[in-house]
Amino acid sequence: MTKLNKKLSMSICIIVIMVSIVSLTINKMFIHKYYLYEKKKIINNIGEEVKNMDTKKLISDIKVIEDKYNITIVYLPIDINIEHNEEEITENFINKFFIKDLSLKKFWISNDILESLKQGSINKIYNQGKSKYSLLVKFIEKDNYVFAVATPIEHSEDTIAIINKFYIIMSLFSIIAITLLTFILSNKIIKPIEKLKILSKDISRLNFRREEIKTNDEIEELANSINKMSLSLEKAHNELNKRNQNLKTFISDSSHEMKTPISLIKVYSMGIQDGMDDGTYIDTIIHQSENLTNIVNTLLYWAKYEKKEMKLSKVDLKVKLLQCIKNYDMLIKENNIDVTLKIDDNAIMVNADESNIEIVLNNLISNAIKYNNDNKIDVCLLKDSQEVFLSVSNGSKDINKEDIDNIWKPFYVLEKSRNKDLSGTGLGLSIVKEILEAHNVLYGVKVYDKKIEFFIVFDSL
């Protein structure tokens, strides 16, 4: 039995015991008084009916009234304005009751009672001693007749005691039965809760499993919520592990990337110091400093834009694309690259963050130049009623499936040789991915005919 089982069973048992004690106390203190109250209420109602009836009709219908209400009615012609013999009146009433099979041992009508009838009807209770009952009598004066409407009242103490004893036995039985039922029913509730407790402990130990619970109530909803939480935590945990692994790779790759220009700067600086400069050392130092600066800037760029908030507005994508290509015009000419443009004539408006879209375009064009092996770049920007399609493609070496799967990941580079003229930090496309996902647009990469094509699909405005 679990702690919750014990608490639930004990609580319900205490409630049942308290209710039983209160019920027994109420029965003992108030049930007889309530019984007497109801009897008085009945006889008072009958008294009102008697007072309102015609005297002759009342006398003729006494039998009907007695049978209807299960009471006894007797009467004597008495003038209450004169004094009478109390014993004689009492004896006459006792005889009247005896004729109707109601034997009275204690009954008395005094002149005070007759005097009180001048003010209205009165009620009297006569305890019959060992007969174990009392007689409730309502006296009514009507047209020089005194009517006695009587009903017996049983002494209920013994009956109440027997009922209370039976009630105690039933209460004990109820406590036992309720305890068993509580244990059985609470198990159905507590068992899935126990499973959820174990599940929560497993999740806290990074065991991101799930528990199927079918109860068709709030517990099932809670289980579903915990299962979803476990799934989300597992996904976040795996993603964190991947990022940690990527970070280790980045530290290694960045160290290697930075080591080369730093070493060269140091060597050529020492050469200048030793007077070995042939006129090219300064240029080499400047070039390597620029390489080192590019690496640092790219890292800062990625850190800055990974969490940058989007500020969407209407952007002319055609203008931005042409400006980007123009910025790389000198580099394109130096590398003898032929750029083919397939762009619609009209303005092409999209809903985007202007500065971030510039970053995306710069990365795609610079990558197409950097990793080009056939001196050709194809740029396509087309629009229809629903979509705007942008693609940048260039000739490339054989790319395997692993490269395509990992190309958007931070710190991943296609050129594993780390050739300084070809390779970067592997952060450019991860920045592009972050920006495009923030824009909630379709994007991807395709490889065909020794070409690699990056594409983006915007909603048309």
Side-chain angles (χ1 to χ4, degrees):
M1 182 182 285
T2 64
K3 293 179 181 179
L4 195 54
N5 277 118
K6 292 178 182 177
K7 286 183 179 181
L8 193 58
S9 299
M10 288 296 295
S11 299
I12 293 177
C13 286
I14 290 172
I15 291 172
V16 172
I17 291 170
M18 293 298 295
V19 170
S20 300
I21 292 172
V22 172
S23 298
L24 287 170
T25 304
I26 291 173
N27 284 348
K28 191 171 183 179
M29 293 178 62
F30 299 107
I31 194 168
H32 180 72
K33 293 180 180 179
Y34 180 74
Y35 173 70
L36 184 59
Y37 166 78
E38 287 293 329
K39 282 289 187 178
K40 286 181 178 180
K41 184 178 177 181
I42 292 171
I43 206 167
N44 286 333
N45 291 335
I46 297 171
E48 288 297 319
E49 184 177 338
V50 168
K51 284 173 65 175
N52 294 328
M53 288 181 67
D54 179 72
T55 304
K56 290 183 179 181
K57 181 171 178 55
L58 172 61
I59 293 172
S60 63
D61 291 347
I62 282 179
K63 178 63 176 173
V64 177
I65 298 172
E66 287 178 331
D67 292 341
K68 180 180 178 181
Y69 296 109
N70 194 24
I71 57 171
T72 301
I73 300 177
V74 297
Y75 64 95
L76 287 175
I78 299 174
D79 186 355
I80 62 174
N81 294 313
I82 62 175
E83 190 172 339
H84 295 274
N85 186 315
E86 295 177 352
E87 292 183 4
E88 182 181 354
I89 293 175
T90 299
E91 187 66 28
N92 288 335
F93 267 109
I94 290 174
N95 290 333
K96 289 275 188 180
F97 279 120
F98 182 77
I99 293 172
K100 294 193 175 184
D101 298 325
L102 195 58
S103 179
L104 302 179
K105 293 182 179 181
K106 294 183 179 182
F107 186 84
W108 185 259
I109 297 180
S110 65
N111 282 308
D112 290 338
I113 293 176
L114 297 177
E115 185 68 25
S116 298
L117 288 175
K118 294 178 181 180
Q119 307 300 324
S121 60
I122 60 171
N123 293 338
K124 285 287 183 178
I125 298 177
Y126 298 95
N127 191 330
Q128 301 304 304
K130 293 182 179 179
S131 299
K132 297 292 184 180
Y133 80 93
S134 297
L135 189 70
L136 175 61
V137 183
K138 187 174 191 67
F139 292 102
I140 302 169
E141 191 279 331
K142 187 176 178 68
D143 297 334
N144 290 329
Y145 285 94
V146 173
F147 292 87
V149 181
T151 182
I153 300 175
E154 296 180 1
H155 291 179
S156 57
E157 288 80 3
D158 294 339
T159 304
I160 293 172
I162 294 171
I163 292 173
N164 285 344
K165 185 177 180 180
F166 177 76
Y167 189 81
I168 291 172
I169 295 171
M170 289 302 298
S171 296
L172 293 174
F173 175 78
S174 298
I175 291 170
I176 296 171
I178 289 172
T179 302
L180 292 174
L181 288 173
T182 301
F183 177 75
I184 294 170
L185 294 175
S186 63
N187 261 342
K188 293 184 178 180
I189 300 173
I190 295 169
K191 191 173 180 180
I193 294 177
E194 186 73 15
K195 290 182 178 180
L196 292 179
K197 182 184 78 173
I198 296 171
L199 175 61
S200 300
K201 287 183 178 179
D202 288 344
I203 292 174
S204 69
R205 299 188 187 102
L206 303 183
N207 178 15
F208 301 106
R209 65 180 184 85
R210 282 160 286 285
E211 189 75 57
E212 292 298 324
I213 294 176
K214 299 294 182 183
T215 57
N216 296 320
D217 54 23
E218 287 79 2
I219 295 177
E220 182 178 338
E221 293 176 3
L222 175 61
N224 292 335
S225 297
I226 293 177
N227 287 336
K228 290 179 181 178
M229 179 186 71
S230 178
L231 187 64
S232 298
L233 288 175
E234 182 179 22
K235 184 178 179 181
H237 180 70
N238 292 338
E239 184 65 27
L240 182 61
N241 285 339
K242 288 179 182 179
R243 284 181 173 267
N244 288 339
Q245 186 59 44
N246 288 336
L247 182 59
K248 291 178 182 179
T249 303
F250 168 73
I251 292 173
S252 174
D253 291 349
S254 296
S255 299
H256 185 278
E257 191 76 25
M258 292 180 181
K259 185 178 180 180
T260 300
I262 290 172
S263 297
L264 289 172
I265 290 171
K266 181 179 179 181
V267 169
Y268 280 94
S269 296
M270 291 174 65
I272 293 173
Q273 190 179 43
D274 294 339
M276 299 173 61
D277 186 6
D278 61 357
T280 62
Y281 282 24
I282 294 296
D283 292 337
T284 302
I285 290 172
I286 293 173
H287 180 67
Q288 294 304 324
S289 297
E290 290 175 351
N291 286 341
L292 187 59
T293 300
N294 288 336
I295 294 171
V296 173
N297 286 341
T298 303
L299 176 59
L300 293 175
Y301 216 50
W302 178 76
K304 177 181 178 182
Y305 284 98
E306 186 181 27
K307 296 181 180 179
K308 186 177 180 181
E309 186 177 339
M310 297 291 106
K311 296 181 180 178
L312 301 180
S313 61
K314 290 183 179 181
V315 176
D316 191 331
L317 191 59
K318 176 181 176 181
V319 171
K320 291 294 178 185
L321 179 60
L322 293 175
Q323 183 62 50
C324 176
I325 295 172
K326 184 178 180 181
N327 292 340
Y328 287 93
D329 188 55
M330 185 177 294
L331 191 58
I332 291 171
K333 290 178 179 179
E334 287 179 0
N335 289 275
N336 297 316
I337 295 175
D338 181 23
V339 178
T340 302
L341 299 178
K342 186 177 181 181
I343 301 176
D344 281 348
D345 295 332
N346 299 325
I348 300 177
M349 306 301 293
V350 296
N351 198 27
D353 184 293
E354 186 172 358
S355 60
N356 282 336
I357 286 299
E358 288 179 359
I359 294 170
V360 171
L361 297 175
N362 282 327
N363 269 283
L364 295 182
I365 298 298
S366 64
N367 281 348
I369 296 170
K370 186 185 299 184
Y371 298 105
N372 194 297
N373 70 345
D374 65 354
N375 295 337
K376 289 182 181 181
I377 296 176
D378 294 320
V379 178
C380 179
L381 181 60
L382 302 175
K383 175 184 177 182
D384 60 23
S385 60
Q386 294 181 332
E387 294 178 343
V388 172
F389 179 80
L390 168 65
S391 70
V392 178
S393 61
N394 59 275
S396 182
K397 295 180 180 179
D398 292 336
I399 301 175
N400 57 39
K401 185 177 184 301
E402 181 185 357
D403 289 328
I404 296 300
D405 292 339
N406 296 320
I407 199 168
W408 300 104
K409 293 182 178 180
F411 323 114
Y412 188 82
V413 292
L414 291 175
E415 181 56 48
K416 296 297 188 296
S417 68
R418 312 298 304 180
N419 185 315
K420 64 183 180 181
D421 294 326
L422 295 177
S423 175
T425 58
L427 295 173
L429 287 179
S430 68
I431 295 172
V432 171
K433 175 178 179 291
E434 294 288 342
I435 294 172
L436 294 179
E437 287 186 350
H439 280 79
N440 195 28
V441 296
L442 177 66
Y443 68 96
V445 59
K446 295 187 292 186
V447 177
Y448 58 93
D449 298 334
K450 293 185 179 182
K451 283 184 176 291
I452 182 169
E453 178 185 40
F454 291 89
F455 67 88
I456 308 170
V457 180
F458 296 89
D459 291 331
S460 180
L461 295 181

